[in-house]
Structures are given as structure tokens and as C-alpha cells.
């Protein structure tokens, strides 16, 4: 079994993660201490032996080390106490719109869209500095940006812009493109965007017809020995294509983030093929469960097993967890198999991946990396105190899970402790804390968060988190230092706002929006990525990711609009923020 190569493509970008020079600061990995009950006993034993002088200086020294550095030897995350938000007491829940802020977000969307429409209408992607569009492949565009933006326009009431976008879909969109497209990205952005547009137009047939046309071209990706989908698809030839960059493996998140879309399409069309192919993937994943419940980021489509690979909540892992919960919610909380898988995963995450920083006790998630350490060829796990911005979806997701899968009764806003199960209480608290950490990573020179941060744990000296290998302003910035208009933190803020009514979350969202306006807005139109969040004035990268219009600005809009828009008990958002309705399927659901 070959290990996947160290260089991984990042979710939602085609950019390879470049190798970074190591800074002296960067040696963050060490062995996971064994959690054994004997260690506490040993500490006492050493202490007694040391005091009695039987082991002399050695015993006393060992006791002293245990006493001074308990965190180095006892890897225990104490169950967090119940809390609303750290530092908060009470607030008045008022879900009416903040009209000025909401309209400022709508104006930002128009600034982004009008530049794209002026310079690149119909192209897959947009470059606001050079004012050019580009396509994912030389074979021509597949409506990446237009379709990703449709439901945001519908929600914002941008009728004229929407009418022109719809006309483009009706007249110019084709999927007859002879090139390889990423299965996951095409599903979440294009299929998800079409289905959400269908929903928010009360069933405009144009979108369902295009969704069926796309899905039928994609179905062959599932034709593997296990049913796990291949990473790419040639849309013209209608064949799945293995990912040569990763030895033909499939990433866990990519295989398990097609289900909301294919299941809903199956429901709308009564064509169960879509449903069954997506569901079968989940069966394979469940059968591949590791004893500790953790989920590595690569699987083999040949035998359906997890491959020795990193375990993390960032790229290639993230939306697996998100979709476990949302599959449960999508069909009205009747498919208990997904709740079980979700709870199992959240338990494993709390036991293995949640950590707390050195000084300010910020809650974060770490990663586990396999390393072949000894001559037997056995793998050992080392931990990396590294968190992608992508992980910032998790805070809101945990809170959503706590008030649904983790609730004993339909909970209040905010929920009371008594309304939640013990796991729900734990997840709620972790969710709140993770959001505070993600917001903290926006406290940079620009007010924007870096793509990747590293944390310090336990007795290490220095700030709680840092950008690995960061160089002084003026020097070429490291990859980790960029902000590419990512949505995950504002997504969590939106969920936390709807679930608590705490105005703190609107305030955080507004600060992030203001930083985007100040540093990413290109005066001539559009928004650009920032290469180093710690350098002001900023240096731009000539790219406006499509998720700015589909996710970041949509979640900010939803944060400031009133709560009658897309209520959480009626909708689930796919991982590209496309709103899909919760429904009761007419067919049998779940599996065992
Ligand atoms: C993208 O593809 C479309 C459709 O083939 C084409 O009209 C357009 O010129 C392409 N854009 C670029 C920048 O190549």
C-alpha cells in the first residue's frame, strides 16, 4: 500500500500547497503521549520513592518533571463546563434585520458580480486585477461562477442580475466538454447551485433539466469495484478518471460530499439511481471504520479501505463530518444511521483531535500524521498543531449538531443545558470555543485570517498561534499567510447567530466584512485574495474565488437579514452554501 504523497491539492483550489522552508519555530510535531492509567500512579510512586531516597536523585527528578509538566505526560481533555459564550451573560434575542449592514453586503455582492459580468461573463473563474476570465479547462467553461452565484442573487432580490444569469444558463450553458473535471467541486458548485436555484425559484424546470444533464454525465464515476467515486470525470466522454496525482486514491471528503446533492436529485426526479449510488458510498465508509473511530483523508476505490494518511478536519477531511450531520437533517432526522456515524465521529474528534493553546487556552483542532519510525515498517502517529481556515466550519457545525442530534427536545434559543444530551452539551461548548479561536485568527494587521495557523500547546512560550515560516513584510510571503476570501468562519458565525441570537456574532461578522471591504475590494470592480494577512498595505493575488459570491457574501447577508430567510429547520446548506430543502422521502431511507 503506497502512502499518498506529501503534496496535496487544497480543497476548493487547484493550487498545490508548496513546500515551505522550516523555521526554527516550526518543529511543532511530537509523539502522542500514551494515555495510560498507570502514569498517575507512577507519578505518585516516583514521588514517594524519591522522597524515601530509594531512587535518590533520579526518583526525585522524575517526580519533579511530572509535577511541573503534567500536560506532557497526561493527554486529557477535561469535559468542558457548560457555558453560553465566554465572557457573556445575557442578551436580548432579536432576529430582525440589520438593514444597513445587510444592504452593505448586497452592495459588495453587486461590486463583485458586475465586474465579473462586465469582463468575464460565462467564464468559470475571474481575475479582478487583469479583468479577465478563465476556464477550468481548455475545453470551455461549465458555468462555475454563474451557477454558483444564482441562489445568492435570488436571496438578495437582485432581479435584473438574476435574469441575465438565468438567460446565460438557458442559452449558453453546456456540459459537453471533453476534459477532466473534479467530481467533488463540480457537484458542490454546479449541481448544488442548480438544485438550489430550482428550489428558490419554486421549481424552475430549467435548473432541474440542467441538473439531470450534469448528473447523468457524472454517474460513471461511481463505477468502481466498491462504488467509491473516482476523483474526476470527463463530462463529454462520460467516464470517471482516477486521480493520478494521488495514486488513484479518493479523498474521504470528496467521496462523501456528494450525497446531499445526489439524494435530493433522486428525490426530485424519482430516479433512485442517484440516491443509491451516493448512499452506497456511505455504507463503504461505515464498513471501513477504524477501531478509534478516526477518519483518514484517503480511501482506496479498489477495496474500500482507509489508506494510511493524515487525519484532520481540514482539506480532504472537513465536509465528511459536515455531511454526516446534514444527511441526517436533510430527511427530517429519520435516518439514524447518519446520527450514529456523526456521534461516533464527534466522540473520536473530542478524544483525539481537540486541543487547547498554551496561554489564552484557545480551543483548536490538531492533525495526526502517520510516520514510519522504526525498522519494522510500523506506522506511528505524530501530531501537528496545525489548523486550516477550512476547519472553521466546525464550530457552527458542532452547534447545529448539538441543537439537533444532541437535543432531547426542540431547544430554546439559545438552548438551555437541560435541553441537550451530554454529548450535545460537550459539542455546543466546543463549537462556541472553536468559533472564538477562528475569530481570533482574524486579529492580524489586516483583520483577515491566514489560510493555515499553527498553535502552541502546554508550556511552550510565545503567542498562542502563529503563521509558520512567516517572513517580514516585503519578503515573498509563505503560502499559509494568505486569505483567499474563504467563508468558513462567517458560515459558523451565521449558524451561531441563528442558534443563540447573541449579537456578538453579528459584531464579529461585521468586523470581518469591514476587513474584506478595506483590503480585498478592487476599486475597478471585484475582490482579490490577499497574499499576506500581516502586511498592510496588502499585496493582492489576481483571483476572486467563486465561493466569495456563493458562500462568504451569502452567509454575511444571512447574518444581517431577518430569520425568516432560510430557517434552519427547513433547509440544509451544501458545503458550497447552496440552500437545499429538508424533505420527507417517499422511499425507504437509511441503511444498515
Ligand atoms: C471559456 O469557455 C467559453 C465556452 O467555451 C468560451 O466562450 C470562453 O471564451 C472561454 N474563456 C476563456 C477566457 O478562454
Amino acid at each position: 500500500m503506497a502512502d499518498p504523497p506529501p503534496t496535496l491539492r487544497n480543497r476548493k483550489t487547484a493550487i498545490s500547497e508548496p513546500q515551505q522552508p522550516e523555521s526554527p519555530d516550526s518543529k511543532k510535531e511530537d509523539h502522542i503521549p500514551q494515555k495510560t492509567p498507570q502514569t498517575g500512579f507512577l507519578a505518585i510512586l516516583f514521588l514517594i520513592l524519591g522522597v524515601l531516597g530509594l531512587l535518590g536523585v533520579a526518583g526525585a527528578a522524575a517526580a519533579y518533571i511530572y509535577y511541573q509538566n503534567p500536560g506532557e505526560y497526561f493527554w486529557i481533555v477535561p469535559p468542558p463546563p457548560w457555558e453560553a459564550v465566554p465572557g457573556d451573560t445575557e442578551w436580548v434575542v432579536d432576529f430582525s434585520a440589520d438593514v444597513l449592514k445587510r444592504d452593505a453586503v448586497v452592495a459588495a455582492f453587486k461590486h463583485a458580480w458586475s465586474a465579473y459580468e462586465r469582463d468575464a461573463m460565462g467564464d468559470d473563474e475571474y481575475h479582478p486585477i487583469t479583468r479577465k476570465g478563465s476556464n477550468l479547462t481548455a475545453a470551455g467553461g461549465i458555468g462555475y461562477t454563474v451557477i454558483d452565484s444564482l441562489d445568492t442573487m435570488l436571496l438578495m432580490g437582485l432581479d435584473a442580475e438574476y435574469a441575465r444569469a438565468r438567460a446565460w444558463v438557458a442559452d449558453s450553458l453546456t456540459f459537453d466538454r471533453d476534459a477532466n473535471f473534479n467530481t467533488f467541486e463540480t457537484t458542490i458548485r454546479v449541481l448544488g447551485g442548480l438544485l438550489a436555484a430550482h428550489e428558490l425559484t419554486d421549481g424552475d424546470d430549467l435548473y432541474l433539466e440542467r441538473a439531470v444533464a450534469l448528473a447523468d454525465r457524472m454517474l460513471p464515476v461511481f463505477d468502481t469495484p466498491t462504488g467509491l467515486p473516482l476523483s474526476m470525470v470527463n463530462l463529454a466522454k462520460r467516464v470517471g478518471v482516477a486521480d493520478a496525482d494521488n495514486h488513484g486514491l479518493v479523498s474521504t471528503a470528496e467521496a462523501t460530499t456528494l450525497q446531499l446533492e445526489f439524494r435530493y436529485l433522486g428525490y426530485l426526479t424519482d430516479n433512485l439511481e442517484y440516491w443509491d449510488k451516493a448512499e452506497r458510498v456511505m455504507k463503504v465508509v461505515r464498513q471501513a471504520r477504524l477501531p478509534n473511530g478516526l477518519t483518514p483523508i484517503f480511501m482506496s476505490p479498489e477495496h474500500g479501505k482507509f489508506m494510511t494518511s493524515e487525519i484532520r478536519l481540514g482539506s480532504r477531511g472537513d465536509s465528511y463530518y459536515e455531511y454526516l450531520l446534514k444527511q441526517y437533517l436533510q430527511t427530517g432526522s429519520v435516518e439514524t444511521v447518519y446520527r450514529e456515524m456523526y456521534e461516533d465521529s464527534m466522540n473520536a474528534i473530542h478524544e483525539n483531535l481537540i486541543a487547547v493553546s498554551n496561554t489564552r487556552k484557545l480551543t483548536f483542532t490538531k492533525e495526526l500524521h502517520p510516520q514510519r519510525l522504526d525498522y519494522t515498517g510500523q506506522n506511528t502517529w505524530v501530531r501537528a498543531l496545525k489548523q486550516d481556515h477550512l476547519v472553521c466550519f466546525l464550530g457552527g457545525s458542532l452547534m447545529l449538531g448539538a441543537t439537533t442530534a444532541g437535543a432531547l427536545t426542540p431547544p430554546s434559543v439559545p438552548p438551555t443545558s437541560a435541553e441537550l444530551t451530554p454529548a450535545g452539551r460537550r459539542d455546543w461548548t466546543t463549537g462556541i470555543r472553536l468559533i472564538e479561536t477562528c475569530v481570533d485568527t482574524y486579529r492580524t494587521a489586516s483583520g483577515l485570517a491566514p489560510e493555515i495557523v499553527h498553535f502552541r500547546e502546554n508550556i511552550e512560550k510565545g503567542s498562542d498561534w502563529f503563521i509558520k515560516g512567516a517572513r517580514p513584510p516585503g519578503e515573498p510571503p509563505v503560502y499559509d499567510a494568505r486569505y483567499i476570501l474563504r467563508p468558513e468562519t462567517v458560515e459558523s458565525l451565521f449558524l451561531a447567530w441563528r442558534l443563540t441570537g447573541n449579537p456578538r456574532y453579528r459584531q464579529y461578522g461585521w468586523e470581518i466584512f469591514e476587513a474584506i471591504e478595506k483590503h480585498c475590494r478592487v476599486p475597478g470592480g471585484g475582490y482579490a485574495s490577499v497574499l499576506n494577512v500581516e502586511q498592510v498595505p496588502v499585496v493582492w493575488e489576481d483571483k476572486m474565488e467563486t465561493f466569495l459570491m456563493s458562500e462568504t457574501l451569502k452567509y454575511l447577508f444571512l447574518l444581517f437579514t431577518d430569520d425568516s430567510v432560510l430557517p434552519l429547520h427547513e433547509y440544509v446548506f451544501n458545503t458550497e452554501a447552496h440552500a437545499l430543502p429538508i424533505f420527507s422521502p417517499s422511499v425507504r431511507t437509511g441503511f444498515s
Side-chain angles (χ1 to χ4, degrees):
M1 285 201 245
D3 277 340
T7 302
L8 303 172
R9 278 189 318 139
N10 212 36
R11 173 177 175 259
K12 297 186 182 176
T13 73
I15 305 162
S16 295
E17 194 173 326
Q19 294 298 307
Q20 308 259 329
E22 298 272 308
S23 78
D25 228 352
S26 67
K27 287 271 171 248
K28 287 289 116 221
E29 299 180 348
D30 49 0
H31 301 288
I32 306 164
Q34 291 295 310
K35 189 167 72 174
T36 61
Q38 290 104 303
T39 36
F41 171 71
L42 279 177
I44 295 163
L45 184 65
F46 280 159
L47 183 66
I48 294 167
L49 292 180
V51 168
L52 292 178
L54 290 176
L55 281 181
V57 177
Y64 181 73
I65 292 165
Y66 277 109
Y67 174 73
Q68 288 293 309
N69 309 312
E72 292 291 291
Y73 300 93
F74 304 98
W75 180 241
I76 296 168
V77 180
W82 175 259
E83 64 188 55
V85 176
D88 267 357
T89 45
E90 280 181 15
W91 57 90
V92 178
V93 175
D94 174 7
F95 283 121
S96 52
D98 185 328
V99 175
L100 285 178
K101 293 189 169 79
R102 182 197 66 193
D103 291 353
V105 176
V106 174
F109 181 92
K110 283 172 134 172
H111 185 76
W113 172 263
S114 61
Y116 166 76
E117 195 179 12
R118 176 192 68 201
D119 302 330
M121 183 63 185
D123 291 350
D124 286 332
E125 299 192 293
Y126 181 49
H127 309 280
I129 316 285
T130 50
R131 300 194 178 187
K132 285 197 170 75
S134 64
N135 292 318
L136 297 168
T137 75
I142 55 169
Y144 230 49
T145 296
V146 175
I147 295 169
D148 227 7
S149 306
L150 289 168
D151 64 344
T152 310
M153 293 182 199
L154 287 161
L155 288 169
M156 290 181 171
L158 299 174
D159 298 341
E161 288 85 349
Y162 169 73
R164 295 193 295 273
R166 186 192 183 280
W168 185 88
V169 173
D171 302 337
S172 306
L173 175 65
T174 170
F175 297 121
D176 194 19
R177 303 289 189 208
D178 186 2
N180 296 340
F181 295 86
N182 182 286
T183 303
F184 156 77
E185 303 282 5
T186 306
T187 301
I188 65 169
R189 303 195 203 209
V190 186
L191 186 58
L194 289 166
L195 292 172
H198 178 263
E199 163 65 20
L200 295 185
T201 51
D202 289 325
D204 186 335
D205 284 339
L206 169 69
Y207 299 121
L208 187 56
E209 189 196 298
R210 295 295 190 273
V212 167
L214 175 60
D216 287 348
R217 288 172 186 273
M218 297 185 72
L219 278 180
V221 299
F222 296 100
D223 296 340
T224 61
T226 56
L228 292 184
L230 294 175
S231 296
M232 284 179 293
V233 57
N234 183 310
L235 291 175
K237 297 205 173 100
R238 300 170 187 251
V239 289
V241 179
D243 181 1
D245 289 350
N246 288 301
H247 306 280
L249 299 177
V250 298
S251 54
T252 307
E254 294 193 358
T256 57
T257 311
L258 318 163
Q259 284 67 22
L260 293 182
E261 298 82 358
F262 277 87
R263 280 152 47 104
Y264 184 50
L265 185 64
Y267 166 75
L268 284 178
T269 59
D270 279 329
N271 179 351
L272 284 186
E273 195 182 357
Y274 305 126
W275 187 296
D276 289 341
K277 293 208 156 150
E279 187 179 86
R280 182 164 162 205
V281 174
M282 301 309 296
K283 278 187 216 179
V284 172
V285 172
R286 198 172 70 140
Q287 275 162 11
R289 184 188 185 280
L290 299 182
N292 57 14
L294 289 170
T295 311
I297 58 171
F298 280 103
M299 300 188 78
S300 159
E302 298 301 315
H303 44 71
K305 299 262 189 294
F306 287 115
M307 304 297 288
T308 300
S309 52
E310 295 172 16
I311 294 170
R312 61 168 177 238
L313 292 146
S315 63
R316 296 182 184 275
D318 49 7
S319 47
Y320 164 67
Y321 306 97
E322 178 187 351
Y323 271 35
L324 283 182
L325 175 65
K326 288 179 175 176
Q327 285 174 88
Y328 174 62
L329 300 180
Q330 182 180 35
T331 47
S333 307
V334 295
E335 295 176 279
T336 49
V337 64
Y338 297 115
R339 192 185 69 210
E340 285 157 16
M341 290 174 77
Y342 174 74
E343 287 171 347
D344 186 36
S345 281
M346 294 306 112
N347 290 341
I349 285 169
H350 276 88
E351 276 162 28
N352 297 284
L353 301 180
I354 301 284
V356 177
S357 70
N358 58 354
T359 310
R360 290 186 292 134
K361 307 299 173 204
L362 300 172
T363 296
F364 66 95
T365 61
K366 59 191 171 186
E367 303 184 353
L368 300 179
H369 297 184
Q371 283 209 345
R372 198 157 289 166
L373 282 180
D374 59 27
Y375 61 91
T376 64
Q378 283 247 325
N379 281 305
T380 310
W381 295 98
V382 296
R383 58 199 167 101
L385 308 183
K386 162 175 175 280
Q387 183 173 285
D388 296 353
H389 188 285
L390 290 167
V391 180
C392 290
F393 84 95
L394 184 64
S397 180
L398 281 166
M399 292 174 78
L400 182 64
T403 56
T404 51
L408 298 162
T409 155
S412 326
V413 176
T416 65
S417 180
E419 289 166 341
L420 306 187
T421 65
R425 285 200 285 274
R426 175 199 65 192
D427 291 358
W428 178 262
T429 304
T430 305
I432 283 176
R433 292 177 175 182
L434 282 172
I435 292 175
E436 291 296 321
T437 304
C438 287
V439 168
D440 198 73
T441 64
Y442 280 75
R443 297 189 179 121
T444 60
S446 61
L448 299 167
E451 176 75 359
I452 299 171
V453 292
H454 283 72
F455 288 83
R456 291 190 176 91
E457 223 182 22
N458 301 330
I459 57 160
E460 291 170 64
K461 300 278 187 297
S463 59
D464 291 73
W465 59 265
F466 60 96
I467 301 169
K468 180 175 169 178
R471 305 194 190 117
E475 288 185 33
V478 293
Y479 176 86
D480 294 10
R482 66 185 55 202
Y483 175 68
I484 62 166
L485 307 166
R486 285 210 186 272
E488 291 77 18
T489 299
V490 292
E491 168 185 348
S492 277
L493 292 173
F494 159 68
L495 291 169
W497 161 250
R498 284 284 178 91
L499 298 171
T500 63
N502 188 332
R504 164 193 287 247
Y505 295 118
R506 273 190 165 170
Q507 184 195 319
Y508 288 155
W510 183 246
E511 284 163 15
I512 292 172
F513 177 71
E514 284 191 307
I516 292 172
E517 284 294 288
K518 190 163 173 194
H519 298 296
C520 304
R521 184 186 170 99
V522 178
Y527 289 79
S529 301
V530 160
L531 285 176
N532 181 0
V533 296
E534 291 289 12
Q535 181 179 341
V536 176
V538 297
V539 178
W540 282 328
E541 186 191 25
D542 187 16
K543 180 139 193 210
M544 183 170 96
E545 295 279 353
T546 78
F547 47 70
L548 173 75
M549 290 195 285
S550 70
E551 298 191 71
T552 311
L553 294 177
K554 182 189 285 142
Y555 281 126
L556 283 165
F557 172 82
L558 291 171
L559 182 61
F560 295 113
T561 194
D562 69 81
D563 69 337
S564 69
V565 184
L566 302 182
L568 293 179
H569 60 275
E570 288 176 24
Y571 289 89
V572 287
F573 293 86
N574 89 338
T575 197
E576 188 74 2
H578 293 305
L580 304 176
I582 290 172
F583 60 88
S584 296
S586 43
V587 295
R588 61 100 191 81
T589 65
F591 59 86
S592 51

